[in-house]
Amino acid sequence: ALTLAGGALIVLNDGLIKELAAELPVGQLLALRGLAVFFPITLLAWRSGGVATMFRIKSWPGQLLRGGCVVGAAFMFVLALRYLSLTDAVTISFAGPLFVTLLAPMMLGERVGWRRWLAVGAGFIGVAIIMQPTSTAFQWAALLPLSASVMSSLRDIVTRKLSASESSVSVLFVTTLLVVVAGFATWPFVDWVALDRKQALLLVGAGFLNGFAHFLFIEAFRQGEAALISPFKYFNVLWAMLFGFMMFGDLPTATTCQGAVVVVASGVYILHRESRRHRH
């Protein structure tokens, strides 16, 4: 239930960001939303042993590397929301587990069996079905969420290495801080927009939704096994279809639905095989 609720909040956050992305520069959007995210992070830190836990950092290189991956992924995904439907952007971004499996042998020294390699191949076929690279319907913007998923997979690999020494609160704090700094760094180069009341409220709402979504994800993984919880994140595709229709009147195409089924099935299978490998 926590994972499903967190997924609903994070996709609703994406919907608000999509509405704002048509009006605000990406850097301004990420910087101001990040400021709002600090409020839920502070609440999470307070519940986890005090605000000081945010500043207990043992591996600055790892934290900065992870934060850099998140910054890159955030900029590319927000740009994707400007040009693509909510469903397409969210579904293509779920190629992340495929890239994690692809990079794990090189970066983590993990052995990947033939079944997972087949699942990775099937997953990329699903992404190709959604993107339609040989069709006149292909949009270059579809490469943005795909690139964001590559950065997210690098983030996840770094997070695995960081989990031994860093708390979840400190990781969230440093990552959000870097996103805010990167967003403000664009100020001299891009004309920022004076916010009206609606835009300000949407930004604050997106920040709180983002922060509390990650809070729910952390609580879910604290109370249950990762192998059982992770597949529920794929319900985000359904949330994206629902909120995409409610907020923007977008209905997913047949090819998007077909590709989404393949991507989700391959991702869930990879998680299943990984959980079996850990048990053995």
Side-chain angles (χ1 to χ4, degrees):
L2 291 173
T3 307
L4 291 175
L9 294 183
I10 203 70
V11 175
L12 182 55
N13 154 79
D14 291 339
L16 297 182
I17 293 300
K18 177 174 174 59
E19 184 166 340
L20 289 165
E23 305 167 351
L24 304 179
V26 176
Q28 178 183 8
L29 202 160
L30 291 175
L32 299 182
R33 184 190 67 171
L35 291 177
V37 173
F38 279 127
F39 291 100
I41 290 177
T42 303
L43 176 62
L44 176 60
W46 175 71
R47 287 198 53 182
S48 303
V51 176
T53 56
M54 293 190 298
F55 307 103
R56 293 173 187 164
I57 299 164
K58 299 178 182 177
S59 175
W60 274 107
Q63 290 268 21
L64 293 175
L65 179 58
R66 183 188 187 277
C69 292
V70 172
V71 168
F75 270 83
M76 286 183 281
F77 189 72
V78 171
L79 274 176
L81 289 174
R82 180 179 292 176
Y83 300 108
L84 299 176
S85 72
L86 185 62
T87 301
D88 283 355
V90 170
T91 303
I92 294 173
S93 71
F94 270 109
L98 308 179
F99 285 111
V100 171
T101 304
L102 197 64
L103 296 171
M106 295 177 286
M107 301 187 67
L108 295 174
E110 294 182 359
R111 180 181 175 275
V112 177
W114 64 270
R115 293 181 182 86
R116 280 200 286 169
W117 283 124
L118 287 178
V120 168
F124 283 120
I125 291 173
V127 172
I129 291 173
I130 299 170
M131 294 175 62
Q132 302 181 64
T134 60
S135 168
T136 55
F138 173 73
Q139 298 184 59
W140 66 267
L143 297 174
L144 291 169
L146 190 64
S147 301
S149 70
V150 175
M151 300 300 293
S152 296
S153 66
L154 292 173
R155 173 206 65 196
D156 291 342
I157 289 173
V158 175
T159 303
R160 287 188 190 182
K161 295 184 176 182
L162 279 177
S163 60
S165 63
E166 307 298 302
S167 68
S168 299
V169 171
S170 69
V171 170
L172 280 173
F173 172 73
V174 172
T175 297
T176 304
L177 179 62
L178 289 177
V179 171
V180 170
V181 170
F184 274 106
T186 67
W187 196 347
F189 308 103
V190 180
D191 292 332
W192 283 25
V193 177
L195 301 181
D196 58 30
R197 179 177 297 182
K198 176 185 175 183
Q199 291 169 333
L201 289 174
L202 288 177
L203 273 172
V204 172
F208 272 78
L209 288 170
N210 187 286
F212 282 113
H214 286 288
F215 172 79
L216 291 174
F217 288 145
I218 290 171
E219 287 298 305
F221 280 101
R222 195 189 310 279
Q223 297 177 25
E225 295 182 9
L228 296 177
I229 292 169
S230 293
F232 282 95
K233 286 189 175 182
Y234 284 96
F235 273 88
N236 287 11
V237 175
L238 299 180
W239 289 126
M241 291 179 180
L242 176 62
F243 291 135
F245 175 71
M246 291 175 61
M247 299 175 70
F248 308 104
D250 293 335
L251 286 173
T253 64
T255 53
T256 295
C257 292
Q258 292 165 4
V261 170
V262 177
V263 171
V264 170
S266 62
V268 171
Y269 182 76
I270 287 171
L271 290 169
H272 166 69
R273 294 299 303 177
E274 187 167 342
S275 67
R276 287 195 59 182
R277 183 177 63 83
H278 283 303
R279 284 199 299 270
H280 290 313

